[in-house]
Amino acid sequence: MRTLALLLAAAGLAAACSDSTDSSSSVTVDYDLTLETLANWSSGSADYEPDQEADLDIVAEKRALPPPIDGGSAFYHAGTNLSDDLWMYFARRVSGFIPNQVYQVGFEVRFATDFHSGCIGTGDLVLIKAGAAEVEPARELRGDRWRMNVDKGIQMDLGTDAVLLGNIQNGLPGCPAEPEFAETSSGA
């Protein structure tokens, strides 16, 4: 089973505007993960059995962007998907919101991956979701599996706390034996 890897180059809460007409309740948050450190972010994983954890090879760190992408570094997440459902995430607390307001949230994520768009069966099946919740995302043991405490949905299904941005295919054609990294973006 192939190890899945994703380099997040930038993520942002693109536009967070309340239903109110008061512009003072508008909040915009933009994170450039090429400049961020992991200190303000948490990472984790879920949707697998506890006895599988040692074999998942989960990695969450900051790494240099791979060639041919020019310079810089980004958040890197990888794991071996033994459960066919592995969920990996980075999360960060965002402040500046007014209590008891309803906000509309949008996301745009730029990322680098070596899964070509011409390959079927891996990159097209690995999804990117983004979300916002009133509680800090964390895993919790439910039955015999680690699950998330926020509603991110399962696979293609959406949850109340997350939207589907797309998959990790990078837009490059073909399915070469030695794939090339490319930067792409998804948003909602």
Side-chain angles (χ1 to χ4, degrees):
M1 185 160 299
R2 184 166 179 195
T3 299
L4 306 177
L6 176 67
L7 280 164
L8 295 172
L13 209 52
C17 303
S18 79
D19 286 346
S20 165
T21 58
D22 178 4
S23 64
S24 66
S25 61
S26 179
V27 178
T28 300
V29 181
D30 188 21
Y31 295 106
D32 183 342
L33 302 185
T34 63
L35 304 174
E36 287 277 323
T37 67
L38 284 174
N40 295 321
W41 293 80
S42 62
S43 66
S45 57
D47 292 345
Y48 56 86
E49 296 173 14
D51 64 350
Q52 292 178 314
E53 193 158 28
D55 298 320
L56 295 176
D57 303 320
I58 301 286
V59 177
E61 60 192 20
K62 190 158 184 182
R63 288 190 177 180
L65 287 165
I69 301 168
D70 291 332
S73 60
F75 287 14
Y76 176 85
H77 226 317
T80 303
N81 188 8
L82 299 176
S83 67
D84 290 333
D85 233 5
L86 179 61
W87 171 261
M88 299 181 301
Y89 67 92
F90 286 105
R92 181 183 176 132
R93 177 180 296 271
V94 178
S95 60
F97 296 98
I98 298 171
N100 302 315
Q101 295 286 317
V102 175
Y103 288 87
Q104 297 174 348
V105 181
F107 297 94
E108 183 172 345
V109 178
R110 287 183 316 137
F111 59 96
T113 177
D114 65 349
F115 287 97
H116 286 234
S117 294
C119 296
I120 304 299
T122 302
D124 60 326
L125 300 175
V126 178
L127 307 175
I128 298 175
K129 291 184 177 183
E134 295 179 6
V135 298
E136 182 175 349
R139 70 180 186 179
E140 55 190 25
L141 193 58
R142 281 195 232 140
D144 65 345
R145 295 178 76 79
W146 287 112
R147 298 287 186 191
M148 294 300 296
N149 66 336
V150 295
D151 183 9
K152 61 170 182 57
I154 296 177
Q155 296 181 353
M156 295 286 281
D157 294 334
L158 302 182
T160 58
D161 298 321
V163 295
L164 177 63
L165 300 181
N167 63 40
I168 65 166
Q169 291 179 317
N170 64 16
L172 296 178
C175 192
E178 293 191 32
E180 181 178 343
F181 273 89
E183 189 175 353
T184 190
S185 66
S186 292

